[in-house]
């Protein structure tokens, strides 16, 4: 089996870039959640927060998301390598 070819999608990676490949939806959810957390997005809350309550502090921004949505293999790549259809690529850069 070959690894998916994402070279047409990846920009010139910087030394402080993190570029994980995920091959299953649960792996991708873990990567997506971690990226959102370190990019400073608020995690979902269990209950509605009242306007009069103290608002939770947003997490510190450590990374910048380069790809908002995951990059996936194109039809040509999937035709050549069927296993690449489930592969997803996300990119973030350290601030």
């Amino acid at each position: 089996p070959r690894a998916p070819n994402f070279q047409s999608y990846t920009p010139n990676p910087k030394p402080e870039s993190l570029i994980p490949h995920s091959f299953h939806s649960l792996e991708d959810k873990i990567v997506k959640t971690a990226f959102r957390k370190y990019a400073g997005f608020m995690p979902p809350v269990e209950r509605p927060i009242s306007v009069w309550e103290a608002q939770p502090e947003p997490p510190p921004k450590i990374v910048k998301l380069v790809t908002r949505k995951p990059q996936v293999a194109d039809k040509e790549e999937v035709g050549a390598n069927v296993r690449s259809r489930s592969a997803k690529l996300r990119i973030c850069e350290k601030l």
Side-chain angles (χ1 to χ4, degrees), residues 11-20 35 63-64 66 90-94:
N12 228 355
K14 296 181 180 177
E16 58 274 350
S17 295
L18 179 62
I19 307 174
F35 276 15
V63 299
K64 178 183 90 166
V66 176
R90 293 184 183 269
I91 304 171
C92 73
E93 292 177 352
K94 185 177 176 185

Side-chain angles (χ1 to χ4, degrees), residues 31-92:
V31 171
K32 176 183 173 181
T33 305
F35 276 15
R36 287 183 58 82
K37 175 183 172 186
Y38 295 124
F41 289 97
M42 292 292 293
V45 293
E46 307 83 46
R47 61 179 181 79
I49 298 176
S50 171
V51 177
W52 297 283
E53 285 184 78
Q55 300 296 316
E57 285 290 320
K61 293 182 182 182
I62 301 171
V63 299
K64 178 183 90 166
L65 299 177
V66 176
T67 56
R68 185 158 175 85
K69 293 188 176 187
Q71 300 295 317
V72 294
D74 58 358
K75 290 180 182 180
E76 181 181 310
E77 176 67 25
V78 172
N81 181 10
V82 179
R83 292 182 178 187
S84 68
R85 70 177 172 241
S86 65
K88 297 186 187 221
L89 176 82
R90 293 184 183 269
I91 304 171
C92 73

